């Protein structure tokens, strides 16, 4: 049976199919690795951001059911602590390993912006 489409339309259709096939092949070449984020002793953890070095940050429940900002590097979960209260959260990090978030003060009265770097938490 003869096609009713002009020859140039058939060519464009074949070109589009070829480009789609090429794009699918490129997409399949991308690989990912999933990592189970350990908790800080509690029953759940949430990751919020990851930097180019594969360091992730977020929050985790502790064994005492408090929520603390957490940093995951390799297989280790690191507690970023609080400012004396029971909760802290980590929201973003850069490639230098600096983490910004918020933490409650002693007595859980207020939340303050925080910066975690070089192993210590600073009240901003």
């Amino acid at each position: 049976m003869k096609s009713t489409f002009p020859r140039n339309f058939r060519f464009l259709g074949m070109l589009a199919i070829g480009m789609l096939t090429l794009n699918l092949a490129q997409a399949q070449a991308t690989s990912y690795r999933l990592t189970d984020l350990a908790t800080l002793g509690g029953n759940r953890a949430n990751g919020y951001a990851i930097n180019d070095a594969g360091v992730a940050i977020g929050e985790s429940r502790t064994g005492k059911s408090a929520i603390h900002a957490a940093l995951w590097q390799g297989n280790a979960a690191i507690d970023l602590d609080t400012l004396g209260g029971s909760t802290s959260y980590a929201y973003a990090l850069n490639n230098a390993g600096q983490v910004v978030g918020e933490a409650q003060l002693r007595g859980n009265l207020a939340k303050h912006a925080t910066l975690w770097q070089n192993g210590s938490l600073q009240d901003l």
Side-chain angles (χ1 to χ4, degrees), residues 56-75:
I57 55 95
E59 67 182 54
S60 175
R61 291 212 180 260
T62 67
K64 298 177 182 178
S65 296
I67 298 171
H68 283 200
L71 179 141
W72 293 274
Q73 190 167 16
N75 293 332

Side-chain angles (χ1 to χ4, degrees), residues 40-88:
L40 297 172
N43 61 356
R44 70 177 177 91
N46 298 309
Y48 295 142
I50 189 168
N51 69 11
D52 292 341
V55 176
I57 55 95
E59 67 182 54
S60 175
R61 291 212 180 260
T62 67
K64 298 177 182 178
S65 296
I67 298 171
H68 283 200
L71 179 141
W72 293 274
Q73 190 167 16
N75 293 332
I78 300 167
D79 189 340
L80 301 186
D81 211 359
T82 71
L83 296 173
S86 64
T87 63
S88 63

Side-chain angles (χ1 to χ4, degrees), residues 8-78:
N8 59 345
F9 282 118
R10 283 184 288 175
F11 171 74
L12 290 174
M14 297 285 280
L15 181 62
I17 290 170
M19 290 173 60
L20 178 61
T21 303
L22 179 63
N23 286 339
L24 287 174
Q26 289 172 343
Q28 291 172 353
T30 303
S31 65
Y32 299 93
R33 188 182 81 205
L34 296 177
T35 302
D36 183 10
L37 300 178
T39 69
L40 297 172
N43 61 356
R44 70 177 177 91
N46 298 309
Y48 295 142
I50 189 168
N51 69 11
D52 292 341
V55 176
I57 55 95
E59 67 182 54
S60 175
R61 291 212 180 260
T62 67
K64 298 177 182 178
S65 296
I67 298 171
H68 283 200
L71 179 141
W72 293 274
Q73 190 167 16
N75 293 332
I78 300 167

